[in-house]
Amino acid sequence: MKALVILQEGLESTYELENLYEIFVIKSKIRFAENEADFDQKLAKSDYGLYLICKSQEVQIILKENLRRSNPQISSQTSSDFTTSKVLDSRTLFVRDDNQKLIKNQLKRTIYQMLEPYFTPMSKWGILVGIRPVKIVHELIDEGESLDQIRDTLKELYLIHPDKVELMIEIALRERPHLVPNNPDAISLYICIPFCPTRCVYCSFPSNDIKQKGKLLPEYMEKLECEVVYAINHIHAVGKFVDCIYIGGGTPTSINEAQLNSLLDTISNHLDLKIVKEYTIEAGRPDTISKEKLEIMKKHGVNRICINPQTLNETTLTAIGRAHTSEEIVSTMALAKAVGFETINMDLIMGLPGEKIEDALRTVKGVLELDPENITIHTLAVKRASKLHEEAEKYELAHDAIVAEMLNISDKVIRDNLLSPYYMYRQKKMIGHLENVGYAKMGHESLYNMRIMEEKHTIVACGAGAVSKICEPDINRFERVANIKGLEAYLDRFDEILLKKTLLK
């Protein structure tokens, strides 16, 4: 595996560039130099060196090769203290435009084109490292570009593979009727219940094991209901209304029937549910779902739930920390259908430890037999806060190309069953720099999922770690307002949480 040393000087921000490098070189093979002397020393132990220096109104970029590493003959004929290298490519960018986005993309594009002949890119997403690719398509449509112009822009300016370009456009066109025109008075309400029965090995969300922190649950639910009422009252006070509700977590159905009924009663008593288009509860794990809980949801107007198996492979379920079986998934789906839910989502993860292509295919086909209206295919992301990252040596992860094939096969099988992509996003640390794609039968697209991804709509969020997103399209302003993350901190500093709700105007 080729190694790369990088020297960056005078650049204001390097975050996106550092993500870009990892498309070509695995992180363990990238070294950063502090200065030119350090760069030369580290180049002697690397295959290539990338040199970026920003001075005044220009950026100089040089790619060097360590000939000692690439040519054994040179290595044997030269003394041990002599480093032989040559310049493979050298370019200079002149910074004359005040539009920093254009300059940033030009720099990323130049680096990509310089590295591509010597490293195989591990992604089809070109220079894109953000999590919302489809948002670019919406922006270009809003600017009046035709679909052919958009295709050219995505391929030539962002260097995106044609397969991904077509996926982006397909999803944007599916989303447009739900997002445009945007009513700035319509608000989505997100409510977070950050408790789970166990913590999955891949999880990095602000979730708490109910066995360990369940004693805080009664106080948390009491405070959460107060925050929900406060938020709703403020939404109404500024002349706006809630037309979409999403209760997530964690696993919201970790709470008991009485707690669930109390929360949903609070919502019903303060909102006109007749104008709510979508009301989702992320039921999540089958082992937390009972007939009584489903009936409570149905009674309160919930019209969309999520039952998330992640896999139907029993060995994998145990390995990742799920306390349920595939049989429970089947029986829970049957129960939810019997109670009368007409839109059910099921989440699956590609690339779980130890799984092969045949395991993924078996899971997808098994889930399709249960006839969900939504299926979301996730690519495993190895996040720093997860047990999977902390104990990486214990788990066998699939190669990037294998996971890419899992996604390709899943896409074909799901489309053959009349579900098609309606939203998509990417995450940091995903295997193969791939993506997550939500599929839906026509008429069953999740309004909340589309809104949160494309950032054209205000979401007011309640609960520990929840993030409100305030959108003001008239002035092209989008602001994130985060609640306090820790469960104890949320309870101790609750007055601060309420004050954040007044930022919506």
Side-chain angles (χ1 to χ4, degrees), residues 110-150:
T110 301
I111 293 171
Y112 189 103
Q113 291 168 335
M114 290 174 70
L115 292 177
E116 190 176 21
Y118 306 99
F119 299 87
T120 301
M122 294 180 280
S123 166
K124 290 185 174 184
W125 286 103
I127 65 170
L128 287 189
V129 295
I131 69 171
R132 294 178 171 85
V134 180
K135 188 177 176 182
I136 297 172
V137 180
H138 285 292
E139 291 171 352
L140 295 173
I141 292 174
D142 291 341
E143 291 169 8
E145 287 201 15
S146 69
L147 294 184
D148 284 340
Q149 288 173 322
I150 291 170

Side-chain angles (χ1 to χ4, degrees), residues 134-395:
V134 180
K135 188 177 176 182
I136 297 172
V137 180
H138 285 292
E139 291 171 352
L140 295 173
I141 292 174
D142 291 341
E143 291 169 8
E145 287 201 15
S146 69
L147 294 184
D148 284 340
Q149 288 173 322
I150 291 170
R151 287 184 177 93
D152 290 342
T153 297
L154 297 176
K155 293 173 187 175
E156 295 170 13
L157 296 187
Y158 293 96
L159 308 179
I160 302 170
H161 190 279
D163 290 351
K164 302 304 182 186
V165 168
E166 294 307 316
L167 178 63
M168 292 168 70
I169 291 174
E170 178 185 15
I171 290 173
L173 295 178
R174 182 97 180 258
E175 290 178 334
R176 294 289 289 182
H178 301 278
L179 302 178
V180 180
N182 177 39
N183 182 349
D185 293 333
I187 305 295
S188 291
L189 178 65
Y190 176 80
I191 300 167
C192 181
I193 301 176
F195 291 88
C196 280
T198 59
R199 189 173 180 86
C200 297
V201 298
Y202 51 77
C203 183
S204 63
F205 287 110
S207 182
N208 303 276
D209 190 322
I210 203 162
K211 297 183 186 70
Q212 297 176 7
K213 296 200 175 181
K215 62 184 178 181
L216 297 175
L217 185 54
E219 183 184 358
Y220 179 81
M221 294 306 298
E222 181 183 342
K223 289 280 202 308
L224 179 63
E225 288 188 29
C226 288
E227 185 186 1
V228 168
V229 171
Y230 191 92
I232 291 172
N233 287 342
H234 182 72
I235 289 167
H236 291 162
V238 296
K240 302 180 186 297
F241 62 93
V242 173
D243 72 341
C244 181
I245 306 168
Y246 193 105
I247 301 178
T251 305
T253 42
S254 296
I255 63 179
N256 63 36
E257 286 81 357
Q259 291 164 334
L260 178 64
N261 192 64
S262 177
L263 174 62
L264 300 192
D265 267 345
T266 297
I267 294 169
S268 298
N269 292 336
H270 290 83
L271 286 178
D272 180 1
L273 294 182
K274 295 187 190 70
I275 62 174
V276 173
K277 299 175 181 177
E278 179 180 283
Y279 192 164
T280 298
I281 293 184
E282 197 168 325
R285 302 191 189 195
D287 49 313
T288 67
I289 301 170
S290 66
K291 183 179 181 182
E292 186 180 351
K293 287 180 185 178
L294 291 170
E295 289 173 340
I296 289 168
M297 296 179 211
K298 188 69 178 171
K299 178 186 73 173
H300 285 88
V302 175
N303 56 19
R304 182 178 182 272
I305 63 171
C306 305
I307 298 172
N308 301 331
Q310 316 301 12
T311 178
L312 295 182
N313 186 329
E314 300 288 351
T315 303
T316 309
L317 287 171
T318 301
I320 63 176
R322 306 284 284 193
H324 62 79
T325 65
S326 59
E327 287 184 5
E328 289 177 276
I329 294 163
V330 174
S331 60
T332 303
M333 273 292 288
L335 184 60
K337 295 272 188 182
V339 170
F341 287 98
E342 296 179 356
T343 302
I344 301 176
N345 173 74
M346 303 190 82
D347 279 4
L348 304 177
I349 301 178
M350 299 294 115
L352 287 169
E355 292 217 333
K356 312 298 182 188
I357 290 176
E358 53 267 28
D359 298 314
L361 182 58
R362 190 182 310 115
T363 288
V364 172
K365 287 183 175 179
V367 163
L368 284 166
E369 288 177 5
L370 303 178
D371 195 28
E373 289 68 36
N374 293 176
I375 295 178
T376 306
I377 299 292
H378 295 266
T379 300
L380 181 66
V382 185
K383 297 295 189 70
R384 186 174 300 170
S386 69
K387 185 177 179 181
L388 188 58
H389 179 269
E390 294 170 357
E391 302 177 359
E393 69 283 353
K394 293 183 179 180
Y395 301 97

Side-chain angles (χ1 to χ4, degrees), residues 43-60:
L43 178 57
K45 298 179 180 179
S46 301
D47 299 282
Y48 296 91
L50 187 66
Y51 177 100
L52 291 86
I53 305 294
C54 181
K55 295 179 180 178
S56 185
Q57 295 296 300
E58 68 178 49
V59 181
Q60 185 180 19

